[in-house]
Amino acid sequence: MAWPTPFEGLGRRAISFSISQTAAGAPAVRNFDFLVLGSGIAGLSYALKVAKHGSVAVVTKAQAEEGCTQYAQGGVCAVLGKHDSVEAHVEDTMIAGDHLSSRRVVEVVCKEGPMRVMELVELGAQFTRKENGALHLTREGGHSHRRIVHAADVTGREIERALLAAAAAKGNITFFEHHAAVDLVHTEVNGQKVCMGADVLDQQAMRMIRFMAPVTMLATGGAGQVYPNTTNPSVATGDGMAMAYRAKATVANMEFVQFHPTAFCASAVTGKPSQGRTFLISEALRGEGGRLYNQSGHRFMEDYDSRLDLAPRDIVARAIQDQMLSRNDSHVLLDISYKPADEILAHFPNIAAQCKTFGIDITREPIPVAPAQHYMCGGVQTGLSGETNVAGLFACGEVSCTGLHGANRLASNSLLEGLVFAERAVLPSLAHAEGTLRDAGQAMTRASQCPEFTGLSAPRRLSVSNNEWVAAKRAELTAVMWSAAGIVRRRADMKEALQQLAGMHFDVQAMWQSYGTSTELVELRNLMAVGELILMSALQRQESRGGHLVLDHPGPGLKLPRTTRIGGSNLSASKPAPPQLVGNGVPLRSGSLGKKTGGGLIERARSREVALKSQKEDVE
Ligand SMILES: Cc1cc2nc3c(=O)[nH]c(=O)nc-3n(C[C@H](O)[C@H](O)[C@H](O)COP(=O)(O)OP(=O)(O)OC[C@H]3O[C@@H](n4cnc5c(N)ncnc54)[C@H](O)[C@@H]3O)c2cc1C
């Protein structure tokens, strides 16, 4: 089959048209019925569905197609096979999640999944088919049956293409590319926290715009960039998790970071450390027979798990890490070359081509691989309709913690989660939008009275030296996270790391307050916040479970497994600044754009001490 070229039929002209209109002197406040932050599978699926009911703004940080979705290789799960069953998918998901997943949520997703995947087919997504025309189902680690719908090994690219083409054809959806949400606009109405939109940095025009909407869908994806080795693209800086946390949404299970066992180890070929996004060697390659060997040619998975190369990801990642550390090797080897070359090339054209650029022919030789951060199982806690504890704020996709993944995600369940929750959020969103007009209309009117983004909250590009400062802080942060909150953890290391991050976070906040708003500082502040959330959650959990292995408590706890939750605002440097008063004096928002606080050194030191003390109390 000839695969469509990436983003063929995307309707780019329609997208850029809406952007140039915005840039040409539009007001600093934009009103929509639905505000969608992020344009991956979650944001686009939701936008397409609510566009039938009102105007939709899709605000996205880079080009619309950039995000984890377009890099997904393996596929999306759906119980479509003759011998498969929803019950089997539920059990596989519960086992992978180390029994921390919510069975109710898992059942809903596994049951509704096939309908959502077939909607993608109707939308025009071209998945790989068998000769008889039926969808080809592949298998991945942790799955008891073949149930992965895929488009060769470029599934995410095909899904993103189909969704973007459909969205571009809808008159009701306006895209704002290169627009980064900085903070949510929120208030309290009758004692209930309410989200009314977001303050957004137009990165090209360098100006702030307040997007107002009764419903905001947070679909900003994951936070892989908080680690030095990640399969995630550069936009994955945890912005949604950090923004929601600052807006007092509950964040859950952040300690469960999934490390993919087999990312391409470029340094094995180039001799230089890998930089930026690490290319993923999909689990499907092991599903189709790929075998792991150490550098002495031993099939080491035999020593760790009876499921060998198809054991769940956390087990394989730890086994590889163990081999690398104990043998002082930089990588292990993944070999599928014993299979017929035409079969390999038909199923893995993208992986073969990527490896070829490093001089590796996967039909003849093994691939050097090592673990890398891959997925955040935790995030903004939602109910079964994607609703959060902040009215008007919904979350969907990797940014959310719906209860599906528990302590570890089953392969190919995340694209599915985005599809299922995008649909489930539609009706509650409509109900909320109507309710808002009744209950929070006045607050929304006040908030939309043109906000001033001047002084310290004004956008400003960073100088070369400030950019270097940001890069150095990011490198420091990611190194701390890899050593303290990586594949194997120790409590003492995590406590020390939390203190280090509190200091760094404070410096970042001070830098922002001196230099104004820029994408680099927005991302750095969010990465610091996410790092702290991961460490705080990890310190709350007094056991090892799923993706969280802590040597001080090597086994699962004796009590029933529970979800770790962090709510309210107990992060150090993101302690709320005095509420900003807008219009009739309604406190709107805390944090980034608030007035400068605590400028003096003594005050800085004092608030840092208080912050550290409160963190200590949180985690003991
Ligand atoms: C290499 C790789 C392979 C994978 N393979 C699979 C697979 O085979 N099957 C599977 O189920 N899952 C897979 N995953 C995981 C899956 O791709 C993601 O979990 C899923 O695509 C997340 O979708 P999303 O819509 O939540 O986020 P994303 O697709 O990451 O989209 C997030 C969007 O938010 C935008 N954004 C971020 N911050 C801001 C901000 N401040 N303001 C505005 N916009 C913002 C981004 O620009 C982007 O548009 C893979 C992931 C990777 C990285």
Side-chain angles (χ1 to χ4, degrees), residues 543 545 556-562:
E543 61 167 355
R545 184 175 294 279
L558 295 175
K559 295 189 193 141
L560 274 180
R562 66 175 189 92

Side-chain angles (χ1 to χ4, degrees), residues 15 65 142 155 220 276 373 393 493 576:
I15 291 177
E65 60 268 26
T155 310
T220 46
Q373 190 284 349
L393 180 65
D493 295 346

Side-chain angles (χ1 to χ4, degrees), residues 38-39 41-42 60-61 66 68-69 74-75 181 239 375 398 412 414-415:
S39 55
I41 191 168
T60 188
K61 200 159 66 164
E66 185 60 339
C68 285
T69 299
D239 298 355
Y375 185 80
E398 193 166 337
S412 289
S414 48
L415 292 172

Side-chain angles (χ1 to χ4, degrees), residues 37-43 59-77 140 155 160 179-182 219-222 231-233 235-237 239-240 243 277-278 280 282 313 374-375 396-399 409 411-416 522 526:
L37 303 177
S39 55
I41 191 168
V59 167
T60 188
K61 200 159 66 164
Q63 280 204 305
E65 60 268 26
E66 185 60 339
C68 285
T69 299
Q70 71 152 332
Y71 298 103
Q73 299 176 353
V76 51
C77 302
E140 292 186 331
T155 310
E160 184 75 13
H179 281 58
V182 175
T220 46
T231 61
N232 290 191
V235 291
T237 49
D239 298 355
M243 284 190 290
R277 193 176 72 83
T278 309
L280 178 78
S282 163
R313 286 182 180 173
H374 186 54
Y375 185 80
C396 182
E398 193 166 337
V399 70
R409 175 183 70 112
S412 289
N413 259 356
S414 48
L415 292 172
L416 185 70
V522 167
N526 290 335

Side-chain angles (χ1 to χ4, degrees), residues 251-472:
V251 176
N253 282 348
M254 289 292 284
E255 69 275 34
F256 296 117
V257 180
Q258 187 173 74
F259 294 90
H260 199 288
T262 57
F264 186 75
C265 182
S267 60
V269 185
T270 62
K272 295 183 200 143
S274 329
Q275 282 187 336
R277 193 176 72 83
T278 309
F279 177 67
L280 178 78
I281 307 297
S282 163
E283 188 136 9
L285 197 121
R286 278 175 287 131
E288 293 298 324
R291 296 169 182 163
L292 285 161
Y293 295 90
N294 66 20
Q295 290 188 38
S296 302
H298 172 52
R299 269 194 92 178
F300 60 86
M301 281 311 299
E302 288 167 357
D303 309 336
Y304 296 91
D305 196 285
S306 59
R307 290 163 288 186
L308 302 179
D309 310 283
L310 287 180
R313 286 182 180 173
D314 53 329
I315 293 174
V316 181
R318 273 174 217 148
I320 295 177
Q321 161 114 333
D322 190 39
Q323 288 289 310
M324 285 166 51
L325 288 178
S326 61
R327 297 170 48 85
N328 202 18
D329 286 343
S330 65
H331 61 276
V332 297
L333 298 165
L334 176 57
D335 186 37
I336 195 161
S337 63
Y338 71 94
K339 293 263 224 174
D342 54 345
E343 233 177 74
I344 298 172
L345 294 176
H347 201 136
F348 304 108
N350 184 37
I351 292 177
Q354 293 277 350
C355 290
K356 205 60 184 268
T357 62
F358 287 90
I360 290 176
D361 178 353
I362 69 169
T363 64
R364 300 163 69 95
E365 58 195 316
I367 309 165
V369 292
Q373 190 284 349
H374 186 54
Y375 185 80
M376 294 295 297
C377 298
V380 183
Q381 189 168 34
T382 74
L384 265 170
S385 302
E387 76 280 17
T388 70
N389 62 317
V390 178
L393 180 65
F394 291 76
C396 182
E398 193 166 337
V399 70
S400 67
C401 180
T402 62
L404 174 68
H405 307 302
N408 204 356
R409 175 183 70 112
L410 181 66
S412 289
N413 259 356
S414 48
L415 292 172
L416 185 70
E417 182 186 42
L419 291 173
V420 169
F421 278 86
E423 162 69 28
R424 293 185 70 85
V426 173
L427 288 179
S429 300
L430 299 181
H432 176 79
E434 276 173 25
T436 303
L437 295 178
R438 195 181 53 238
D439 303 331
Q442 278 188 338
M444 288 206 56
T445 310
R446 282 198 293 269
S448 59
Q449 281 159 3
C450 208
E452 294 260 319
F453 295 110
T454 52
L456 295 172
S457 62
R460 185 169 156 197
R461 289 193 202 281
L462 287 185
S463 65
V464 174
S465 63
N466 286 340
N467 255 317
E468 283 168 3
W469 184 88
V470 169

